[in-house]
């Protein structure tokens, strides 16, 4: 471990290179200027990594020791229990009663050994991963069109393209460094940008055209384009003739589905002119990249959506060419690595097919694994249903939180609660899924583990350790290999270090390949350990010693990975969603990410600044729907789906189209009382990819009017079991809780609980206004502060108050000010963070604009630095400028 370590970001599929360096004050992070994915750039999440590492020093955050049946054990006992119980399950119920559920956060080496153990040695095909929720539809679409799961383009294409079409992708928030690269290219040569998304997102700020289409009508829009391209004489006939199958059939199907622009516009809820403009730009711009992401994949018809996009690129010959390609961007840091090793239930290993007897035989011989069977395993949603109905008796969950991320959250929880054996390997000590674990295994976290990840452009990069794992945490590959050894498979899992696994993975990719499989990194099969240490990021497939130019873009020569080498256009037809809004559930819930949070917040939730951007889950709704359903800005609302419900804070916004609401995916039962959006997501899945539909779920909303609301600042997390609404965020030395209840007695009991162990609180009461303010101190140190009202939420200077928890001797006058909830002479304000990189609040920006100091985004940047870091907040700054100017007008 050195003072500066080059590694890769643990969050999104952009896969930015980072440089971590240590100092007396802790860790510092910077973008790696040498890494081709980001060339030194970084976003707010990456920039806050040192904060999350510092927060992990709090021993309660990490799982530090193995536990079996709630009792702390050593590794020997825990691994014996894992091996013994899995063998016993296989003996009594058959190997197929065992499943592994893996994660796009695992390193490729971890993934490889887990997949090998279950499929090859225990003999069960049921290995699936949370990547099923991310890009399984793209995998299926790629295989149908190209014959292999291959992303043909690279990030540079976004900079070279003259037109970038973003479909179902809020790039500015979900892949911020790619958005930065696109913004810079646009500044340089005026790249046209089209955003296709029902919502108006931050990404639309960079758009020349936003097509806010009706939900689930993407196939119709792209079928319309495919039908129109021949009329516009924009088909690349030479390419199609030589390299594409099924062109006529796919075009005929598209014409039947979307006969003309008027029909398309009507079906999609768009203006005819806008559709025509998009089609015209696409037709006349050879250098076009279509970026697509979860808005396409997370659909009951996701695979068809993907193929509708691939069809128009095949028809125009724009695949793998300079600045011209379809481009899937993944949500997770190692979704692509998981696909390489076969971490999905419908994959085998190294891009081989579990349904192909020759592939199965090949892997069986390579692994010397006689029990390896042909056939696919259960995909995530079906897998957890099989746990629920008792077909699966044992599940090992690694590095993921399915109790939060899978649809039908309450059914998933019931399934886990009833499962005879649940093993969970995790970094965090408290997750919703860990509650159901019989065996808990502490895994090494980012910065402690060692291996490789592959980003969205097929670039393999090293994640290197730069700090010691705490307690008894161990790397996942070690945990799995040790369990395998105890099960009697030691000879096949004799790995001493990650490089041993990487070499075997590389060797399998090249084994009897002969160019049949595009994924071939066989040249690394004899990589020396020292070369693995210094391995530079590379795109597969690249032979050692080559420049890598051959791997940058694939299929440009028109030779695809199908048996006859020709790409396949697929006949797709738009299909109405199986469940439509009705009188009981009149709105469609769309779910997604926030700019500063990641998945279930086990890491980003540790950072006070990241948690400040959106401290609570918001229900975003159009003004028309808010009025119709009696919701008010800033109030609370209950969202009910067919399977469950949640509570969220209401945000009324014109960005949300009527008929649809937006909910964030991040909040868990650890972070909020009822903020889990998976409770309103039904388990409808794409029939081909098995990916659940997180974007189209009919719901109803209703105001939830509490009897009291409060803001609590506290060093300890109190028992909030009887409080119907609470959301917690970390704020340095304390946590801030937004609370609301339906019975004032709840507030009294909470106050009593906070009082234990401290002296009598300072108190201010205004009975007529229903206002109570209390502060508990212990020898001059603030322990907790509660601000409660019967009406709306009290306005408190949250940052200022949380800083008071850092004071060790608050004197008389300082104590009295506490109950005012703000510093003397400070005006009340929201204190909401807008720019996470430079910690600039809404109040500061509004003040600068009102004072006339800054009237443009550039001036806000110069004066306050806001928006000059990762740039993801620029659209918000524009909005603030607009709002203040409207107010002033
Ligand atoms: S863009 Fe993604 S990979 Fe890059 S720093 Fe941000 S979260 Fe990390």
């Amino acid at each position: 471990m050195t003072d500066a370590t080059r590694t890769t970001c643990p969050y999104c599929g952009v896969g930015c290179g980072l440089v971590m360096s240590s100092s007396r004050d802790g860790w510092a992070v910077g973008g790696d200027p040498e890494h081709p994915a980001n060339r030194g750039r970084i976003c707010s999440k990456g920039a806050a990594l040192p904060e999350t590492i510092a927060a992990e020093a709090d021993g309660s955050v990490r799982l530090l020791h193995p536990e079996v049946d709630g009792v702390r054990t050593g590794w020997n006992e825990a691994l014996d229990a894992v091996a013994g119980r899995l063998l016993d399950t296989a003996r009594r119920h058959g190997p197929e009663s065992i499943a592994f559920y893996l994660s796009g956060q695992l390193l490729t080496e971890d993934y490889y050994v887990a997949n090998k153990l279950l499929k090859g040695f225990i003999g069960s095909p049921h290995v699936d991963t949370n990547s099923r929720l991310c890009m399984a539809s793209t995998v299926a679409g790629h295989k149908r069109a190209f014959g292999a799961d291959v992303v043909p383009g690279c990030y540079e294409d976004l900079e070279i393209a003259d037109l970038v079409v973003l479909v179902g992708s809020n790039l500015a928030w979900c892949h911020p460094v790619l958005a930065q690269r696109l913004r810079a290219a646009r500044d340089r040569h005026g790249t046209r940008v089209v955003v296709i998304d029902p919502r108006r997102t931050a990404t639309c700020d960079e758009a020349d055209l936003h097509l806010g289409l009706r939900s689930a009508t993407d196939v119709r829009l792209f079928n319309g384009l495919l039908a129109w391209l021949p009329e516009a004489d924009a088909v690349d006939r030479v390419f199609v003739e030589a390299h594409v199958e099924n062109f006529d059939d796919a075009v005929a199907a598209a014409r039947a589905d979307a006969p003309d622009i008027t029909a398309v516009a009507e079906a999609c809820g768009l203006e005819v002119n806008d559709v025509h403009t998009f089609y015209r730009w696409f037709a006349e711009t050879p250098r076009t990249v279509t970026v697509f992401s979860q808005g396409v994949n997370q659909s009951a018809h996701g695979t068809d959506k993907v193929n509708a996009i691939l069809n128009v690129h095949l028809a125009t010959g724009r695949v793998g060419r300079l600045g011209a390609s379809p481009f899937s961007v993944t949500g997770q840091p190692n979704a692509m690595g998981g696909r390489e090793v076969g971490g999905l239930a419908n994959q085998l290993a190294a891009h081989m097919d579990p349904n192909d007897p020759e592939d199965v035989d090949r892997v069986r011989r390579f692994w010397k694994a006689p029990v390896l069977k042909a056939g696919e395993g259960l995909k995530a949603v079906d897998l957890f249903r099989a746990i629920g109905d008792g077909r699966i008796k044992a599940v090992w969950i690694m590095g993921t939180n399915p109790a939060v991320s899978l649809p039908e959250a309450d059914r998933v929880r019931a399934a886990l609660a009833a499962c005879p054996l649940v093993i969970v390997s995790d970094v965090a000590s408290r997750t919703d899924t860990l509650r159901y674990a019989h065996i808990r295994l502490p895994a090494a976290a980012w910065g402690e583990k060692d291996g490789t990840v592959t980003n969205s452009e097929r670039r393999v990069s090293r994640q290197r350790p730069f700090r010691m794992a705490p307690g008894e945490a161990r790397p996942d590959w070690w945990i799995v290999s040790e369990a395998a050894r105890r099960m009697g498979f030691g000879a096949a899992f004799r790995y001493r270090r990650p490089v041993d696994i990487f070499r075997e993975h590389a060797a399998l990719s090249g084994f009897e390949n002969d160019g049949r499989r595009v994924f071939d990194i066989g040249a690394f099969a004899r990589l020396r350990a020292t070369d693995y240490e210094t391995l530079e990021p590379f795109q597969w497939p690249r032979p050692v010693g080559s420049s890598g130019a051959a791997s940058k873009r694939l299929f440009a020569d028109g030779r695809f990975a199908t048996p006859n080498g020709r790409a396949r256009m697929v006949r797709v037809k738009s299909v109405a969603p199986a469940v439509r809004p009705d009188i009981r559930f009149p709105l469609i819930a769309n779910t997604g990410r926030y700019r500063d949070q990641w998945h279930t917040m086990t890491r980003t939730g540790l950072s006070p600044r990241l948690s400040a951007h959106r401290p609570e889950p918001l229900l975003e709704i159009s003004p028309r729907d808010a009025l119709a359903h009696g919701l008010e800005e800033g109030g609370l609302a209950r969202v009910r789906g067919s399977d469950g419900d949640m509570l969220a804070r209401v945000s009324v916004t014109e960005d949300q189209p009527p008929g649809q609401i937006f909910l964030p995916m991040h909040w868990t039962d650890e972070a909020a009382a009822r903020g889990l959006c998976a409770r309103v997501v039904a388990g409808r899945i794409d029939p081909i990819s098995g990916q659940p539909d997180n974007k189209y779920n009919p719901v109803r909303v209703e105001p939830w009017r509490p009897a009291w609301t409060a803001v609590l600042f506290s060093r300890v997390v109190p028992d909030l079991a009887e409080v119907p609404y609470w959301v917690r965020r970390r704020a340095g030395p304390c946590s801030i809780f937004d609370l609301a209840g339906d019975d004032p007695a709840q507030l009294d009991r909470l106050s009593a609980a906070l009082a234990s162990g401290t002296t009598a609180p300072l108190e201010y009461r205004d009975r007529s206004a229903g206002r109570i303010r209390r502060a508990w101190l212990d020898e001059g140190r603030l322990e907790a502060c509660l601000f409660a009202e019967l009406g709306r939420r009290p306005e408190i200077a949250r940052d200022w108050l949380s800083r008071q928890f850092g004071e060790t001797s608050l004197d008389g006058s300082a104590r009295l000010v506490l109950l005012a909830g703000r510093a003397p002479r400070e005006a009340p304000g929201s204190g909401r963070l807008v720019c996470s990189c430079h910690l600039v609040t809404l109040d500061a920006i509004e003040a600068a604009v009102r004072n006339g100091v800054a009237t443009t985004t550039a001036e806000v940047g110069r004066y306050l630095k806001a928006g000059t870091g990762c740039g993801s907040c620029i659209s918000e700054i524009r909005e603030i400028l607009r709002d203040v100017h409207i107010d002033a007008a």
Side-chain angles (χ1 to χ4, degrees):
M1 299 188 199
T2 59
D3 278 354
T5 304
R6 291 176 70 204
T7 186
T8 312
C9 178
Y11 297 124
C12 82
V14 180
C16 295
L18 305 178
V19 181
M20 299 301 299
S21 50
S22 65
S23 71
R24 269 204 313 236
D25 300 330
W27 289 100
V29 65
D32 181 352
E34 305 293 320
H35 198 289
N38 57 318
R39 297 266 178 235
R41 294 179 175 92
I42 195 169
C43 79
S44 55
K45 290 187 284 289
L49 278 163
E51 259 184 47
T52 68
I53 296 173
E56 282 181 330
D58 169 357
S60 67
V61 169
R62 291 290 298 272
L63 188 60
L64 297 174
H65 306 284
E67 290 173 25
V68 177
D69 299 326
V71 177
R72 177 177 163 179
T73 68
W75 271 111
N76 269 332
E77 296 93 314
L79 290 165
D80 283 348
V82 169
R85 292 185 195 188
L86 286 179
L87 284 174
D88 184 53
T89 306
R91 196 169 48 245
R92 292 200 291 139
H93 305 288
E96 297 199 15
S97 65
I98 299 174
F100 285 2
Y101 190 61
L102 310 179
S103 160
Q105 282 84 59
L106 293 176
L107 302 182
T108 300
E109 291 76 0
D110 303 324
Y111 245 131
Y112 179 86
V113 289
N115 186 55
K116 180 179 174 183
L117 172 60
L118 191 61
K119 287 182 185 161
F121 289 83
I122 297 175
S124 167
H126 305 311
V127 177
D128 211 41
T129 155
N130 63 9
S131 296
R132 179 72 55 198
L133 319 177
C134 175
M135 50 0 77
S137 295
T138 290
V139 173
H142 280 162
K143 286 175 88 167
R144 287 205 298 189
F146 305 148
D149 173 26
V150 173
V151 173
C154 60
Y155 294 162
E156 194 183 70
D157 289 325
L158 271 75
E159 295 166 331
I160 295 169
D162 297 313
L163 172 66
V164 172
V165 182
L166 296 154
V167 195
S169 161
N170 184 4
L171 204 74
W173 277 22
C174 303
H175 301 91
V177 163
L178 278 189
Q180 289 177 41
R181 289 182 66 162
L182 176 57
R183 196 177 299 130
R186 192 168 149 80
D187 289 347
R188 273 196 309 276
H189 71 99
T191 318
R192 266 189 186 142
V193 175
V194 176
V195 174
I196 299 173
D197 194 318
R199 301 167 65 212
R200 188 181 159 75
T201 65
T203 304
C204 296
D205 257 47
E206 297 294 334
D208 298 282
L209 178 65
H210 169 215
L211 296 179
L213 80 181
R214 204 168 271 143
S215 290
T217 58
D218 320 47
V219 169
R220 183 95 62 163
L221 183 67
F222 278 90
N223 266 348
L225 175 55
L226 180 61
W228 190 79
L229 287 171
E231 288 172 34
D233 201 20
V235 172
D236 185 336
R237 299 276 173 193
V238 175
F239 181 84
V240 168
E241 193 69 28
H243 304 296
V244 178
E245 276 184 350
N246 210 28
F247 171 83
D248 291 335
D249 195 29
V251 172
R255 279 202 183 113
D257 194 39
D260 56 52
I261 289 181
T262 308
V264 170
E266 196 175 320
C268 298
L270 297 169
E271 296 293 328
V272 170
N273 279 347
D274 288 346
V275 176
H276 186 251
T277 300
F278 166 49
Y279 287 3
R280 189 168 49 79
W281 286 353
F282 191 96
E284 70 189 22
T285 315
R287 286 189 170 173
T288 294
V289 171
T290 303
V291 174
F292 55 100
S293 190
Q294 273 69 6
V296 169
N297 291 321
Q298 292 180 336
S299 160
H301 306 286
T303 308
D304 281 352
K305 287 188 186 185
V306 170
N307 284 109
I309 293 168
L310 302 186
N311 279 349
V312 295
H313 276 268
L314 286 169
T316 49
R318 298 172 192 163
V319 179
R321 290 187 177 169
L322 203 69
S325 203
F327 201 99
S328 148
V329 285
T330 58
Q332 307 201 74
N334 199 27
M336 181 79 85
R339 291 145 81 174
E340 290 160 13
V341 304
L344 290 161
N346 49 338
Q347 299 178 323
L348 182 53
H351 279 210
M352 283 182 266
D353 185 347
N355 299 311
D356 179 337
E358 285 185 20
D359 277 353
V360 176
D361 178 60
R362 189 171 292 116
V363 177
R364 190 184 286 139
R365 284 185 284 112
F366 182 88
W367 279 347
K368 299 185 180 56
V371 302
L372 179 69
K373 291 194 195 79
E376 298 183 4
L378 292 166
K379 301 179 182 110
V381 172
D382 287 338
L383 190 153
F384 278 82
R385 285 176 183 159
I387 295 173
D389 65 26
R391 280 174 289 153
I392 299 289
K393 308 280 187 201
V395 61
W396 188 346
I397 298 163
M398 299 180 205
T400 184
N401 202 352
V404 177
S405 49
L406 278 171
E408 305 175 326
D410 285 329
R411 286 189 212 183
V412 169
R413 286 159 195 249
L416 287 172
C419 185
L421 177 58
V422 179
I423 304 166
V424 178
S425 308
D426 211 305
V427 163
S429 61
R430 294 176 65 93
T431 74
D432 291 15
T433 300
L434 266 173
R435 297 175 185 183
Y436 303 94
H438 303 100
I439 301 179
R440 300 171 175 203
L441 304 172
W446 175 79
E448 298 156 7
K449 53 188 186 177
D450 189 8
T452 54
V453 289
T454 311
N455 72 3
S456 300
E457 60 168 357
R458 291 174 278 106
R459 190 176 298 282
V460 179
S461 300
R462 293 276 281 109
Q463 259 197 25
R464 297 185 175 90
F466 54 87
R467 58 187 177 132
M468 300 296 293
E472 295 180 84
R474 295 283 184 277
D476 289 284
W477 67 265
W478 180 90
I479 300 171
V480 175
S481 302
E482 283 297 310
R485 200 167 61 75
R486 285 166 166 80
M487 295 176 83
F489 312 128
F493 291 85
R494 207 173 278 138
Y495 308 113
R496 288 180 302 125
R497 349 161 248 190
V499 64
D500 300 333
I501 305 164
F502 183 77
R503 281 194 287 242
E504 184 178 310
H505 166 55
L508 177 56
S509 77
F511 183 58
E512 298 176 1
N513 192 330
D514 306 326
R516 288 159 30 110
R517 305 186 302 273
V518 181
F519 176 66
D520 182 353
I521 56 167
F524 292 97
R526 294 176 192 279
L527 189 71
R528 289 181 309 189
T530 48
D531 292 336
Y532 181 74
E533 287 311 315
T534 56
L535 188 68
E536 288 295 320
F538 73 94
Q539 280 176 286
W540 58 256
R542 186 192 73 152
V544 169
S546 85
S547 67
S551 304
K552 239 182 184 179
R553 298 176 182 85
L554 300 176
F555 304 144
D557 60 0
R559 279 188 298 139
F560 292 87
T562 53
N564 65 4
R566 293 169 75 90
R568 293 179 290 237
M569 285 176 63
V570 179
R571 201 185 155 85
V572 290
K573 183 175 179 321
S574 54
V575 179
V579 181
R580 309 282 298 220
D582 58 19
I583 192 147
R584 279 190 334 130
F585 300 111
L587 300 170
I588 299 159
N590 175 8
T591 67
R593 298 177 190 277
Y594 281 167
R595 184 191 79 191
D596 286 356
Q597 291 298 349
W598 178 252
H599 282 194
T600 60
M601 304 197 296
T602 46
R603 177 169 291 283
T604 47
L606 300 175
S607 158
R609 78 162 115 167
L610 293 182
S611 302
H613 177 241
R614 289 276 189 282
E616 287 176 279
L618 299 180
L619 183 178
E620 291 175 52
I621 189 166
S622 71
R624 191 191 83 181
D625 289 332
L627 189 66
H629 296 277
L631 305 190
E632 288 171 13
E633 172 70 24
L636 290 168
R638 190 180 294 281
V639 184
R640 288 187 198 275
S642 54
D643 287 331
D645 68 285
M646 67 174 288
L647 291 171
R649 182 81 53 194
V650 175
S651 169
V652 182
T653 167
E654 298 277 3
D655 293 342
Q656 201 55 38
Q660 195 194 82
I661 63 166
F662 181 81
L663 300 166
M665 61 180 275
H666 307 291
W667 273 266
T668 68
D669 282 359
E670 288 289 328
R674 201 96 197 145
L676 176 58
C677 81
R679 287 203 167 92
V680 300
V681 177
R684 277 183 292 280
I685 55 175
D686 178 285
I688 300 163
S689 69
Q691 181 152 0
D693 193 331
N694 288 23
K695 304 293 185 190
Y696 194 101
N697 284 282
V699 294
R700 72 171 176 273
V701 296
E702 60 210 22
W704 186 71
R705 296 202 174 85
W708 58 271
T709 60
V711 185
L712 168 69
F713 299 73
S714 177
R715 274 184 209 281
V716 297
V717 178
D719 181 359
L720 297 169
E722 70 160 334
V723 178
Y725 181 85
W726 61 263
V727 179
R728 176 193 179 200
R729 82 166 170 97
R730 289 169 192 270
C734 68
S735 293
I736 305 176
F737 299 84
D738 279 279
L739 308 166
D742 44 12
D743 177 359
Q746 295 157 340
L747 203 48
D748 294 335
R749 286 192 286 272
L750 176 62
S751 276
L754 290 165
S756 66
T758 62
T759 51
L762 301 174
E763 184 175 271
Y764 164 80
R765 256 178 196 273
D766 179 345
R767 281 184 198 282
S768 59
R771 186 173 295 149
I772 305 169
R773 298 185 166 196
R774 293 192 179 111
W776 289 266
L777 293 104
D778 191 3
E779 296 185 352
R781 202 177 86 130
L782 188 55
E783 294 297 317
C785 228
L786 179 70
F787 301 84
E789 308 230 346
L790 292 185
R792 289 180 73 89
R793 267 192 307 180
E795 280 199 351
I796 307 296
R798 295 176 180 224
D799 286 347
W800 173 81
L801 197 76
S802 52
R803 282 199 301 277
Q804 306 314 301
F805 282 76
E807 302 291 331
T808 48
S809 54
L810 289 165
D811 62 18
S813 57
R815 291 178 187 204
L816 285 177
V817 190
L818 290 174
L819 296 184
R822 60 177 186 265
R825 291 181 296 283
E826 187 181 320
S830 77
R832 181 167 74 73
L833 198 64
V834 174
C835 173
S836 303
C837 299
H838 296 294
L839 299 176
V840 186
T841 62
L842 171 66
D843 305 330
I845 298 171
E846 280 183 344
V849 180
R850 283 187 207 288
N851 295 340
V853 181
T855 54
T856 63
T857 50
E859 285 174 0
V860 170
R862 272 199 296 279
Y863 183 64
L864 296 168
K865 291 183 85 178
T868 60
C870 73
S872 320
C873 62
I874 287 175
S875 64
E876 259 181 90
I877 297 171
R878 277 200 195 115
E879 225 170 88
I880 297 164
L881 282 161
R882 219 169 22 233
D883 289 351
V884 174
H885 289 143
I886 289 169
D887 277 3

